[in-house]
Every structure is written in structure tokens, then in C-alpha cells.
């Protein structure tokens, strides 16, 4: 299902017909029509693979240098950018943390924040991202599947994806089922799910269905969807699998996934968002956007 929303983002829901559309376990958010967000995310991935500028490395100066990198590439033609990538590509594709790459991760907060501004139109609740607040984890060839579960809602996106690699993602979906009272024999013939015994308020035994846990492949991160960021609901078990299709050398680092936690907005954040929404609406009506 594709949902168009006013901000020029759209969502792609991969949950099946049994999922609650008003309370999704995950949601794919595509920002390809949001030019500023697309530009920043594209240049941050380019910066990850680029050689840092010469000079001493420290976090403060590298953050400024990454910002300069994005501005310098803003208006360059694709052919020019491709030529620069060939001459300035960093041969080190294995180091996850360097001063330069940590500065790149820091700037992903801007993408998370900008997408977060539209979350009330996309996901349930009044959620937002509060920079600087992002974490990351690595996916390696032959490192086995990586399973993550977060204790709060998050947005996640690859900060680095080796060319030719696909990251296949599964989530565990559990169908919630109502309590069932057993028949005269004490069994619940309608239930095929695992069950446990419970006592009601009067102390009588009843059967509680536990719901069926299923692993469902919900999507792929690869070169075809660079402008896709995912919302993941807290408590959802997410499995990441590296797939190189057998066409590239499979060793070392395959991808770096960056994620930012989401928070319920406070009154000041709601007021700020309402002001921003009013400003954007006014600009659209005036034909400035």
C-alpha cells in the first residue's frame, strides 16, 4: 500500500492484512521528493567513502568539514561527482569509526530530524527525533544475521552500503488473540496456537491463546531505494541479513545502519512544529514552494 501525505513523503506499508494499519510494527518512508533531505543523505553516503581533507583530525573540525563537503557538491553535475569519487575514494572500507566518519554519522541527525518533523502524518502518536541522538551497528559478510529489538520507536537507514549488497529485513509478527474459555472437556478445539492456563477473577481455569509468532520478510535495503528510511515500533524484533547475490567479494564490512530514537513531543516541540507547519502552508499558498 502506498500512502501520499502532504509533505511530499510517502509511505510503503509491508505489513499483511492482519496487521493494524493504525498501529504498525514498521513503516517505510520514502523522501525522494524532498529535495533537501535527499541531497543531504546522498552526500553523507558519498562522504563516508571519500578521503577526508588533509590536516589534523578532530571531531569539531571534521563536522565543519563534512558540512563543507555537502555544500561543495550541492550543484555539481553527476558526471563531475563520479569523476571525483574515482580520484578521492578512501581505500579504507573497513573502519567503522574514524574522526571523519563519526562526523558523517553526526550529520545524519539532520536527516532523522527532518523526517521526524512529519511523523505525526505518517505514524501514530506525536513523535519526534531530538538531535544529536543517533547510534549505529555494522553488518558484515559471513557475520551471521543480526537481530535487534529497541525499547523505543526508532528511524533507521543505511549510512553505508557496499555496492552490490542487499540487506534483507525480517520482523517477527505476533497475532494477539482473545482469551478462550474451554469446553466441557477442558480443551479449546478452535485453538491451534500454543496455549497456557490462567485463572479468572473467580479462580476458574481458562485457556489463554498465546498468538503465533511468524518471521516475515518486509523489505530490502539496496541501491534501488536510497531515499527510504524505516520507522520501527518499540519491542519489534528485526532481523538483518546480508545478501551479496554471489556477485561481489564477500568479506569484511557490508553495511553500517544508523538509527535514531523517537520521543513523544513536549509542549514546546508541539508549538514549534505548529509554527513550522503554518509557515510551510503559507509559503505553499504563496507559490514559494
Amino acid at each position: 500500500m502506498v500512502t501520499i501525505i502532504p509533505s511530499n513523503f510517502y509511505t510503503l506499508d509491508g505489513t499483511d492484512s492482519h496487521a493494524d494499519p493504525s498501529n504498525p510494527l514498521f513503516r517505510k518512508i520514502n523522501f525522494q521528493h524532498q529535495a533537501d533531505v535527499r541531497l543531504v543523505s546522498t552526500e553523507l553516503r558519498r562522504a563516508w567513502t571519500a578521503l577526508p581533507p588533509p590536516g589534523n583530525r578532530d571531531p569539531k573540525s571534521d563536522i565543519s568539514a563534512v558540512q563543507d563537503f555537502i555544500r561543495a557538491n550541492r550543484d555539481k553535475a553527476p558526471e563531475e561527482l563520479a569523476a571525483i569519487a574515482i580520484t578521492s575514494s578512501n581505500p579504507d572500507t573497513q573502519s567503522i569509526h574514524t574522526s571523519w566518519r563519526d562526523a558523517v554519522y553526526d550529520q545524519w541527525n539532520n536527516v532523522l530530524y527532518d523526517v521526524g518533523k512529519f511523523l505525526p502524518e505518517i505514524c501514530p502518536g506525536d513523535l519526534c527525533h531530538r538531535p544529536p541522538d543517533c547510534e549505529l551497528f555494522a553488518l558484515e559478510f559471513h557475520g551471521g544475521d543480526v537481530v535487534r529489538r529497541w525499547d523505543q520507536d526508532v528511524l533507521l537507514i543505511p549510512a553505508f552500503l557496499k555496492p552490490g549488497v542487499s540487506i534483507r529485513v525480517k520482523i517477527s509478527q505476533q497475532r494477539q488473540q482473545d482469551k478462550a474459555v474451554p469446553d466441557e472437556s477442558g480443551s479449546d478445539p478452535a485453538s491451534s496456537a500454543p496455549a497456557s492456563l490462567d485463572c479468572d477473577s473467580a479462580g476458574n481455569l481458562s485457556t489463554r491463546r498465546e498468538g503465533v509468532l511468524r518471521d516475515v520478510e518486509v523489505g530490502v535495503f539496496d541501491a534501488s531505494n536510497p531515499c527510504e528510511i524505516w520507522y520501527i515500533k518499540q519491542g519489534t524484533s528485526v532481523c538483518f541479513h546480508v545478501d551479496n547475490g554471489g556477485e561481489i567479494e564477500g568479506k569484511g564490512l557490508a553495511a553500517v545502519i544508523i538509527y535514531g530514537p523517537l520521543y513523544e513531543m513536549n509542549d514546546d516541540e508541539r508549538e514549534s512544529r505548529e509554527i513550522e507547519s503554518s509557515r510551510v502552508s503559507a509559503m505553499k499558498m504563496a507559490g514559494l514552494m
Side-chain angles (χ1 to χ4, degrees):
M1 181 180 73
V2 178
T3 305
I4 307 295
I5 59 177
S7 57
N8 286 333
F9 290 77
Y10 65 82
T11 65
L12 301 157
D13 289 344
T15 47
D16 64 20
S17 59
H18 300 282
D20 182 357
S22 66
N23 189 29
L25 298 180
F26 84 104
R27 185 156 282 174
K28 303 175 185 178
I29 306 165
N30 193 302
F31 54 82
Q32 65 176 338
H33 299 302
Q34 200 73 12
D36 288 345
V37 185
R38 185 182 69 245
L39 170 72
V40 172
S41 66
T42 299
E43 293 309 317
L44 287 175
R45 290 200 183 99
R46 202 189 311 276
W48 196 98
T49 62
L51 284 170
N56 295 328
R57 307 259 62 86
D58 69 82
K60 186 174 181 179
S61 64
D62 274 335
I63 287 175
S64 178
V66 169
Q67 294 169 345
D68 290 342
F69 180 94
I70 294 172
R71 284 190 289 267
N73 290 335
R74 179 183 295 269
D75 299 320
K76 289 178 180 175
E79 297 80 7
E80 187 178 1
L81 291 172
I84 293 173
I86 293 173
T87 58
S88 63
S89 179
N90 192 337
D92 177 10
T93 60
Q94 300 303 312
S95 297
I96 300 169
H97 289 286
T98 66
S99 179
W100 172 257
R101 285 176 178 166
D102 286 346
V104 171
Y105 303 140
D106 176 84
Q107 293 302 292
W108 274 101
N109 276 288
N110 296 317
V111 174
L112 297 168
Y113 177 77
D114 284 341
V115 174
K117 288 191 295 186
F118 299 99
L119 283 174
E121 303 172 30
I122 301 169
C123 303
D126 289 334
L127 299 173
C128 68
H129 175 67
R130 293 174 182 159
D133 188 5
C134 63
E135 300 290 340
L136 58 93
F137 60 93
L139 299 173
E140 297 187 351
F141 295 104
H142 310 301
D145 292 352
V146 173
V147 178
R148 300 298 298 263
R149 184 185 288 109
W150 291 273
D151 58 7
Q152 64 190 106
D153 297 1
V154 298
L155 291 173
L156 62 82
I157 189 170
F160 164 72
L161 191 64
K162 187 170 182 177
V165 167
S166 298
I167 305 300
R168 300 193 174 277
V169 185
K170 293 182 179 181
I171 64 171
S172 294
Q173 291 182 331
Q174 184 167 15
R175 261 177 228 178
Q176 297 299 324
Q177 302 187 35
D178 296 332
K179 287 184 177 180
V181 178
D183 59 21
E184 293 180 358
S185 66
S187 64
D188 177 17
S191 175
S192 60
S196 60
L197 294 180
D198 235 351
C199 290
D200 61 21
S201 58
N204 300 315
L205 281 178
S206 62
T207 303
R208 185 180 71 247
R209 294 183 188 174
E210 298 246 331
V212 179
L213 197 64
R214 306 180 300 146
D215 284 337
V216 180
E217 184 168 312
V218 292
V220 177
F221 286 116
D222 59 20
S224 70
N225 57 351
C227 295
E228 204 169 276
I229 190 169
W230 288 20
Y231 160 85
I232 305 291
K233 185 177 178 62
Q234 67 174 16
T236 303
S237 180
V238 186
C239 177
F240 300 85
H241 172 77
V242 175
D243 181 5
N244 67 357
E247 297 181 359
I248 63 173
E249 185 179 4
K251 64 178 182 180
L253 186 64
V256 176
I257 307 295
I258 196 161
Y259 63 91
L262 301 173
Y263 302 89
E264 285 288 335
M265 286 190 290
N266 57 38
D267 290 341
D268 289 341
E269 288 166 332
R270 287 191 183 90
E271 182 179 0
S272 176
R273 183 164 291 176
E274 288 171 1
I275 293 172
E276 174 67 11
S277 178
S278 298
R279 184 186 70 83
V280 170
S281 296
M283 291 180 68
K284 287 181 178 179
M285 291 182 65
L288 300 176
M289 292 185 68

